[in-house]
């Protein structure tokens, strides 16, 4: 990658005796001399399109941040040097490459550690950190819905549900949460006889009425941003008795389903208390070992302080988060400044 002469990262003209074609390594060195933060990114094409927008890259340049695409066809150690590696790719091979890179380049911040991310790819382990917290304070209580993991044999689901005492209706989600469209699909089961139509492996969660509104809590380091999204409507006992079968839904929450400007019941629309979210986010950052994730939270309908975390996603759609460009660039600069301060203490 060659920087243009009018680029804000262009260096002074090299001496005449130097070759006109500067090496990539030399350009990275000059970037570091000018205190430019070099962020290598390895993202899917879809994530690159939604996240690496011109506004983000322009603001980053103005703040002294250079985004560089990582070439997946070349050894990672031969690229850079980087201050930060930002990634969202799947596959065992990529995880191994990143782990080896972390071991040989401890000076580079990898967002986030591959092993920590893996916990969020399985809905059985995903919510365990929240359940273990048993977070309850003056601002409210945070829990997870009662759930059951079914790994195989759909014909046994009804018996398994009866054995643990889960109450209908039940939300069915794929066990694997790998960011694909399929992993975001869900079904609502109204009767136990239809449960055998589901396709394991999956997770069954008790449906909690929440007024049809979900709170997406975006977390970028210590920064928190909350937006409202429309969700599944309340289900009455009459509807449970009247309806039967499996109702399948595509991805329920997305940018087009924003509820921030809708005319909602204030009791439904009220955001969760900031102190509660800050404590929850801080504790999950520590337990999960992650800095880039979001929480899908609902408030039980008819209550003011009973909340449930129903999903956690790594490196979510930040492009849909208001002011994400400023929040994310400030976060990246803060990481590097914190790293330099730690070095200065030794």
């Amino acid at each position: 990658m060659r920087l243009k002469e009018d680029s804000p990262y262009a260096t002074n003209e090299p001496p005449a005796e130097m070759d006109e074609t500067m090496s990539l390594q030399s350009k990275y060195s000059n970037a570091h001399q000018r205190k430019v933060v070099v962020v290598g990114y390895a993202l899917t094409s879809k994530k690159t399109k939604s996240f690496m927008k011109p506004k983000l890259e322009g603001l980053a340049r103005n703040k002294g941040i250079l985004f560089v695409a990582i070439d997946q066809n070349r050894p990672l150690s031969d690229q850079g040097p980087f201050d930060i590696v930002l990634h969202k790719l799947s596959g065992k091979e990529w995880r191994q490459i990143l782990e080896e890179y972390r071991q040989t380049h401890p000076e580079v911040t990898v967002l986030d550690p591959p092993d920590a991310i893996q916990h969020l790819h399985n809905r059985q382990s995903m919510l365990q950190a929240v359940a273990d917290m048993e977070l309850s304070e003056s601002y409210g209580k945070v829990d997870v819905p009662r759930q059951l993991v079914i790994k195989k044999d759909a014909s046994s689901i009804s018996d398994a549900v009866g054995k643990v005492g889960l109450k209908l209706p039940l939300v069915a989600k794929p066990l694997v949460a790998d960011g694909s469209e399929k992993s975001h699909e869900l079904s609502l089961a109204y009767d136990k006889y239809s449960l055998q139509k589901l396709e394991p492996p999956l997770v069954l969660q008790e449906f909690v009425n929440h007024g049809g509104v979900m709170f997406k809590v975006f977390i970028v380091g210590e920064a928190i941003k909350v937006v409202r999204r429309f969700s599944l409507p309340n289900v009455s006992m009459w509807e449970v008795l009247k309806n039967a079968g499996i109702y399948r839904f595509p991805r329920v929450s997305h940018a087009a389903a924003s509820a921030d400007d809708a005319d909602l019941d204030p009791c439904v629309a009220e955001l969760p208390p900031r102190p509660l979210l800050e404590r929850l986010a801080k504790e999950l950052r520590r337990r999960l070992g992650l800095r880039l994730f979001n929480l899908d939270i609902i408030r039980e309908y008819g209550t003011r302080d009973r909340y449930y975390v129903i999903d956690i996603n790594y490196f979510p759609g930040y492009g849909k988060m208001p002011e994400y460009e400023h929040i994310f660039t400030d976060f990246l600069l803060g990481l590097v400044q914190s790293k330099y301060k730690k070095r200065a203490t030794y």
Side-chain angles (χ1 to χ4, degrees):
M1 183 186 69
R2 182 165 184 168
L3 297 174
K4 297 180 181 179
E5 292 181 0
D6 59 352
S7 165
Y9 299 106
T11 56
N12 294 329
E13 291 186 3
E17 64 269 16
M18 290 182 62
D19 192 313
E20 289 183 4
T21 304
M22 298 178 67
S23 68
L24 184 60
Q25 185 72 23
S26 176
K27 289 182 180 181
Y28 277 116
S29 298
N30 284 327
H32 277 272
Q33 289 171 10
R34 294 172 64 89
K35 294 183 179 179
V36 171
V37 176
V38 182
V39 180
Y41 65 92
L43 308 172
T44 62
S45 56
K46 181 180 178 182
K47 180 63 72 174
T48 299
K49 184 178 180 180
S50 67
F51 180 76
M52 297 299 302
K53 295 180 180 179
K55 185 176 179 181
L56 172 67
E57 295 192 85
L59 181 63
R61 282 195 299 270
N62 291 337
K63 291 185 175 183
I65 300 172
L66 174 63
F67 282 106
V68 178
I70 291 174
D71 186 347
Q72 297 175 47
N73 296 316
R74 293 175 53 211
L76 185 54
S77 292
D78 291 350
Q79 302 179 61
F82 302 119
D83 294 293
I84 297 169
V85 168
L86 190 64
H87 70 97
K88 190 174 184 180
L89 295 176
S90 57
K92 186 176 180 180
E93 183 179 357
W94 172 249
R95 293 201 306 272
Q96 185 175 347
I97 289 172
L98 268 186
E99 285 295 353
E100 291 176 356
Y101 183 81
R102 290 181 69 216
Q103 295 296 323
T104 55
H105 296 77
E107 75 285 358
V108 179
T109 301
V110 175
L111 295 173
D112 273 311
D115 287 347
I117 297 170
Q118 280 301 107
H119 289 292
L120 299 189
H121 285 174
N122 184 306
R123 285 195 165 94
Q124 183 174 12
S125 58
M126 173 194 292
L127 300 180
Q128 193 58 50
V130 180
D132 291 343
M133 287 172 59
E134 298 182 349
L135 180 57
S136 181
E137 56 168 50
S138 59
Y139 292 103
K141 182 176 182 179
V142 180
D143 207 341
V144 299
R146 294 183 65 209
Q147 67 178 32
L148 174 67
V149 175
I150 304 293
K151 294 186 177 180
K152 56 184 179 180
D153 190 10
S155 63
S156 67
I157 297 179
S158 180
D159 290 339
V161 166
K163 188 175 181 179
V164 299
L166 289 187
K167 296 179 181 178
L168 294 165
L170 296 173
V171 178
K173 303 177 181 181
L175 180 62
V176 176
D178 57 4
S180 65
E181 286 300 316
K182 183 175 178 59
S183 71
H184 288 288
E185 294 176 354
L186 59 84
S187 303
L188 194 61
Y190 279 94
D191 70 287
K192 65 178 183 179
Y193 302 107
S194 299
L195 293 174
Q196 61 184 350
K197 298 178 182 178
L198 296 171
E199 300 175 10
L202 53 82
V203 170
L204 295 173
Q205 290 180 346
E206 285 188 340
F207 180 74
V208 178
N209 281 334
H210 52 282
V213 172
M214 173 197 303
F215 305 105
K216 276 199 166 290
V217 183
F218 291 96
I219 296 167
V220 183
E222 295 184 4
I224 299 173
K225 195 82 172 180
V226 188
V227 296
R228 302 176 186 86
R229 293 282 184 266
F230 283 116
S231 180
L232 299 179
N234 288 346
V235 177
S236 67
M237 281 304 301
W238 181 81
E239 289 175 294
V240 174
L241 296 173
K242 173 188 174 185
N243 293 309
I246 304 292
Y247 292 78
R248 303 183 188 279
F249 300 88
R251 190 165 187 166
V252 173
S253 173
H254 51 81
S258 173
D260 279 329
D261 298 323
D263 184 15
L264 299 170
D265 180 343
C267 294
V268 172
E270 183 182 5
L271 296 177
R274 188 79 184 183
L276 182 69
L277 293 180
E278 289 176 348
R279 183 178 171 193
L280 177 62
K282 180 179 180 180
E283 188 63 22
L284 284 178
R285 281 197 305 270
R286 184 183 69 82
R287 289 174 180 258
L288 297 174
L290 299 173
R291 284 170 281 197
L292 301 176
F293 60 99
N294 86 327
L295 310 172
D296 288 347
I297 297 180
I298 58 175
R299 179 195 293 113
E300 185 173 357
Y301 188 71
T303 75
R304 292 200 60 184
D305 58 0
R306 178 82 182 197
Y307 300 92
Y308 292 89
V309 177
I310 57 175
D311 239 337
I312 305 177
N313 304 290
Y314 171 68
F315 204 141
Y318 286 118
K320 303 168 188 174
M321 181 179 79
E323 302 177 346
Y324 89 97
E325 301 93 347
H326 292 275
I327 293 172
F328 215 94
T329 49
D330 286 346
F331 164 66
L332 295 175
L333 290 176
L335 281 179
V336 174
Q337 290 167 1
S338 175
K339 183 168 58 177
Y340 287 147
K341 285 181 181 177
K342 287 181 180 179
R343 288 179 183 174
T345 60
Y346 289 103

